[in-house]
Amino acid sequence: MDIKEKFGQRVKTLRKEKGMSQEELAEKSGLNRPYISAIEQGKRNVSLEVMEKLAEALQMDIKKFFE
Amino acid sequence: MDIKEKFGQRVKTLRKEKGMSQEELAEKSGLNRPYISAIEQGKRNVSLEVMEKLAEALQMDIKKFFE
């Protein structure tokens, strides 16, 4: 499993822990749903600025994605 | 300080803790020195794959960049 896949799985797990749908995470983060879906499938080489948007939407620190 | 600047400062701090020059970090990570310099100055929106290269070169977990 590469780093993009690992990251995607963490996003999915953390999103579900918050009881959020992909649609809700998209809305809160300002990203679109297909992009969230692609991230969770490990298909995107996510950048710092996108990580920050996801972390803010999930109300947690970026480091949680790497724990 | 934005997320790119915070990340850059952490890279610089962690590199120095390892007693490594930018040149050495560049060599170990497979990135070039001007790119390392731009990252440390907070000028790059670093991606997952670049973070992984930096973390491997510094022999640490990616999450350390966010602590």
Side-chain angles (χ1 to χ4, degrees), chain A residues 1-53:
Chain A
M1 194 161 58
D2 72 22
I3 185 70
K4 302 194 299 291
E5 290 167 331
K6 278 187 217 163
F7 184 85
Q9 288 204 354
R10 282 298 285 156
V11 170
K12 187 171 186 170
T13 299
L14 292 161
R15 172 177 63 73
K16 290 189 168 179
E17 276 179 21
K18 298 278 175 178
M20 233 182 260
S21 65
Q22 286 187 343
E23 191 59 62
E24 285 171 301
L25 178 55
E27 204 167 301
K28 284 186 202 285
S29 62
L31 303 166
N32 61 57
R33 203 206 55 77
Y35 187 57
I36 300 284
S37 174
I39 289 171
E40 291 189 357
Q41 288 172 70
K43 293 178 177 168
R44 289 293 175 276
N45 189 20
V46 176
S47 72
L48 280 171
E49 289 178 347
V50 168
M51 281 175 209
E52 186 176 45
K53 287 177 186 173

Side-chain angles (χ1 to χ4, degrees), chain A residues 48-53 56 62, chain B residues 1-11 38-46 65-66:
Chain A
L48 280 171
E49 289 178 347
V50 168
M51 281 175 209
E52 186 176 45
K53 287 177 186 173
E56 281 176 6
I62 290 179
Chain B
M1 194 159 59
D2 73 22
I3 185 70
K4 302 193 300 293
E5 290 167 329
K6 278 187 217 162
F7 184 85
Q9 288 204 352
R10 283 298 285 156
V11 170
I39 289 170
E40 291 190 357
Q41 288 172 70
K43 293 179 178 167
R44 290 294 175 275
N45 189 20
V46 176
F65 292 129
F66 300 101

Side-chain angles (χ1 to χ4, degrees), chain B residues 26-38:
Chain B
E27 203 167 301
K28 284 185 202 289
S29 62
L31 303 166
N32 60 57
R33 203 205 55 78
Y35 187 56
I36 300 285
S37 173

Side-chain angles (χ1 to χ4, degrees), chain B residues 53-64:
Chain B
K53 287 177 186 172
L54 292 170
E56 281 175 5
L58 292 164
Q59 295 180 284
M60 37 154 261
D61 288 341
I62 290 180
K63 74 169 182 232
K64 281 224 111 190

